[in-house]
Amino acid sequence: MSKITDKVTALARPIVEEEGCSLWDVEYVREAGSWYLRVFIDKEGGVSIDDCERISRRMDPILDEADPIPDSYVFEVGSAGAERELKRPSDFEQFMGSQVEVKLYQPVNGSKTFVGTLAGYEQGKVSVTVGKETMIFDKAQTAQVKLHVTI
């Protein structure tokens, strides 16, 4: 985590929790020439637009006062989403047995994307059961692991 996201996480967590939600992630990224600070939240039963709005309104003055980012940026508060990215060991533990999509940097067996059941996570290695086969992907191979929702 960058120092900016560490600072924003420390500022956001108490507010998010006071609003009955949990802090899923904070990201500070450059997209299309602009910087975005995004706070992703989660809540039992789902996050509403009202949750996002309340947290955003409470955080705005705190971010202005703390000024953790010297440049201009777009601030957004949103739901972690049904197809949220799994990053931390606790994320993998929470969703063990769930359907996930693993995206790789380089193809394995001719494919860069695998969908299956999260079967394990240990020291950065992700185990996914695809059909009847359990595949293990090393952290260095893995570009992204996210929940996979079938409609």
Side-chain angles (χ1 to χ4, degrees):
M1 224 186 251
S2 75
K3 290 182 180 187
I4 289 173
T5 56
D6 288 342
K7 289 177 187 174
V8 174
T9 295
L11 294 169
R13 189 174 308 282
I15 293 168
V16 170
E17 290 175 356
E18 285 170 15
E19 292 294 336
C21 299
S22 60
L23 182 63
W24 181 260
D25 198 12
V26 173
E27 70 176 18
Y28 182 60
V29 295
R30 188 170 181 89
E31 293 176 0
S34 297
W35 284 98
Y36 289 83
L37 174 64
R38 294 187 178 112
V39 172
F40 295 102
I41 59 174
D42 197 16
K43 183 171 86 173
E44 189 71 36
V47 172
S48 72
I49 190 76
D50 292 334
D51 295 322
C52 297
E53 184 179 351
R54 277 193 321 276
I55 290 167
S56 177
R57 288 180 191 269
R58 287 193 57 198
M59 283 193 62
D60 267 335
I62 290 168
L63 287 170
D64 287 344
E65 184 178 323
D67 200 21
I69 303 171
D71 304 315
S72 64
Y73 60 92
V74 177
F75 175 56
E76 299 175 344
V77 175
S79 168
E83 292 192 332
R84 68 192 63 191
E85 186 173 357
L86 307 181
K87 296 180 179 180
R88 298 167 295 275
S90 61
D91 299 345
F92 288 92
E93 184 180 311
Q94 180 179 350
F95 290 101
M96 198 61 60
S98 298
Q99 285 287 110
V100 294
E101 179 179 296
V102 178
K103 291 188 179 181
L104 305 176
Y105 292 113
Q106 299 294 322
V108 170
N109 300 333
S111 182
K112 290 174 74 173
T113 303
F114 294 87
V115 175
T117 303
L118 181 60
Y121 182 82
E122 190 173 331
Q123 297 176 349
K125 293 184 180 188
V126 179
S127 301
V128 178
T129 303
V130 180
K132 293 183 180 187
E133 180 184 359
T134 297
M135 304 181 76
I136 299 173
F137 302 103
D138 192 66
K139 186 175 189 170
Q141 292 178 278
T142 309
Q144 181 185 57
V145 179
K146 66 180 188 171
L147 293 179
H148 181 77
V149 178
T150 315
I151 299 175

